[in-house]
Amino acid sequence: MISKGKEKEVLDKRIMAARQSAGFSITKAAQKLGFKNYQTLSAIEKGARNINAHELIMMARLYGRSLEYFLESAVAPDPVPLWRKEKKQT
């Protein structure tokens, strides 16, 4: 099981951020991960339940992330897309 004070808090936040970034609702993600209900995933994201290695691997695959994203302390944040209007050609 993965749990260590501040590192655990970072992991919990990254799990939630990865799910949201991948565009999954908590209910849909829990279903795809094979949890019986969404409360299990919610408890993991809130830090109320520890996550095991198998669950973390499944999340990494579903959310399109590497395990390093969840476990490394110095991971670059997601890029923020900057959208600009195209200039009209005359």
Side-chain angles (χ1 to χ4, degrees), residues 12-13 15 17-18 20 22 25 28 39 48-49 58 63 66 71 78 81 86 88:
D12 301 337
K13 289 178 184 178
I15 289 171
Q20 292 170 340
S25 69
K28 191 66 169 177
Q39 287 94 341
R49 178 185 178 278
M58 289 176 18
Y63 302 153
S66 67
L71 301 175
D78 286 336
E86 291 185 25
K88 291 185 181 180

Side-chain angles (χ1 to χ4, degrees), residues 8-90:
K8 173 90 169 79
E9 288 179 30
V10 171
L11 175 62
D12 301 337
K13 289 178 184 178
R14 286 188 184 163
I15 289 171
M16 183 185 300
R19 174 182 58 77
Q20 292 170 340
S21 179
F24 288 102
S25 69
I26 196 162
T27 305
K28 191 66 169 177
Q31 180 184 26
K32 289 194 169 276
L33 291 166
F35 294 126
K36 292 183 181 180
N37 53 53
Y38 76 91
Q39 287 94 341
T40 305
L41 182 54
S42 178
I44 291 170
E45 290 182 356
K46 291 177 182 176
R49 178 185 178 278
N50 286 333
I51 183 170
N52 65 40
H54 176 71
E55 292 167 339
L56 187 59
I57 290 168
M58 289 176 18
M59 287 179 191
R61 288 180 182 159
L62 178 63
Y63 302 153
R65 300 290 178 149
S66 67
L67 288 175
E68 288 81 20
Y69 169 80
F70 296 105
L71 301 175
E72 291 292 321
S73 60
V75 174
D78 286 336
V80 177
L82 301 174
W83 300 99
R84 296 184 181 163
K85 290 184 179 180
E86 291 185 25
K87 291 183 180 180
K88 291 185 181 180
Q89 295 183 2
T90 53

